[in-house]
Amino acid sequence: MENLSLHGLRIWISGSIPSNDDTQKEQVSKCVAALTRAILKNGGCVAHGCHPSITEIIGHEAIFHKNQTGNNTKELVFYFVSRFFISDYKSDLPRWEKYANVIETPAINDEKNARDASLKVMRDYLCARSDVIIAIGGDTWDELPARAGVAAEVQMAIENNLPCFVLGGFGGSAERIKPIIIENHYSLKNGLDSERNIQLATCDDPDKCTTIVIEQLSRLPIAAVTTKISGGTFRILCLDG
């Protein structure tokens, strides 16, 4: 892949490795690694809501990029973690903070379902501070559909007009979003036509998916905001003439 400009774009990788299929685990891991590598190489930033199956993959690529280029990856990799789960990640935080900017989001403790309410806050933070979302994998939670995080994050991104790329060929929750793509691919706002979106949603080749996404990202008229990641984002429409 030729060098493409993603300078400053904050790209939200939404996903986790599906727990019920070893082939899917391997392919999702390869695709997340390829995406992270390509985003960093081309000047983009990676944002992720800390899922233990994904953070170490992103971290491996971030450390490799730092060693190869000398770049400060704390300005390129952003982990969002809810304080509701902070005790679960206590031993991980010092390691993450060596290569990523770790942003803690508030816990909600006064609601009936504090877990899901706290995750909603974290996702709100991620959505407000991202320019685009890439969805991959994710458990399906047949018994508790509301806990299918990838599907919830794609829906939030669509509602907030973020360009969405859905990699459904690796199974999991992302695969179940395919009906949205088939029926209304315009809602993804990623500049791909229906045929190309369906191709992306069914492709199970990590390198091919990465090439399609990165090349299309470089074409999208997204003006990356330059405010600090801890602040909000601003989308400005400028009509000349």
Side-chain angles (χ1 to χ4, degrees), residues 110-128:
D110 59 351
E111 293 203 12
K112 185 177 180 180
N113 194 340
R115 175 192 182 278
D116 291 349
S118 298
L119 281 173
K120 171 67 165 54
V121 170
M122 185 199 73
R123 288 168 179 149
D124 284 340
Y125 269 66
L126 258 165
C127 193

Side-chain angles (χ1 to χ4, degrees), residues 146-199:
R147 288 198 173 176
V150 171
E153 290 171 3
V154 168
Q155 185 60 42
M156 176 181 285
I158 289 173
E159 291 171 356
N160 285 273
N161 297 312
L162 287 187
C164 301
F165 295 87
V166 179
L167 311 186
F170 305 99
S173 184
E175 183 178 27
R176 304 228 178 152
I177 303 171
K178 282 193 287 188
I180 296 176
I181 298 167
I182 294 170
E183 295 170 12
N184 185 16
H185 77 278
Y186 295 106
S187 65
L188 300 177
K189 295 182 173 62
N190 60 22
L192 298 175
D193 61 20
S194 177
E195 181 179 352
R196 197 70 162 155
N197 268 310
I198 292 171
Q199 178 190 11

Side-chain angles (χ1 to χ4, degrees), residues 41-63:
K41 176 183 177 182
N42 290 288
C45 304
V46 174
H48 178 64
C50 292
H51 192 282
S53 66
I54 296 291
T55 51
E56 299 309 316
I57 301 170
I58 294 173
H60 176 81
E61 295 300 328
I63 292 168

Side-chain angles (χ1 to χ4, degrees), residues 1-4 34 38 41-42 207 210-215:
M1 187 190 306
E2 62 180 308
N3 288 339
L4 302 168
K41 176 183 177 182
N42 290 288
D207 291 331
T210 297
T211 297
I212 293 172
V213 171
I214 299 300
E215 288 183 350

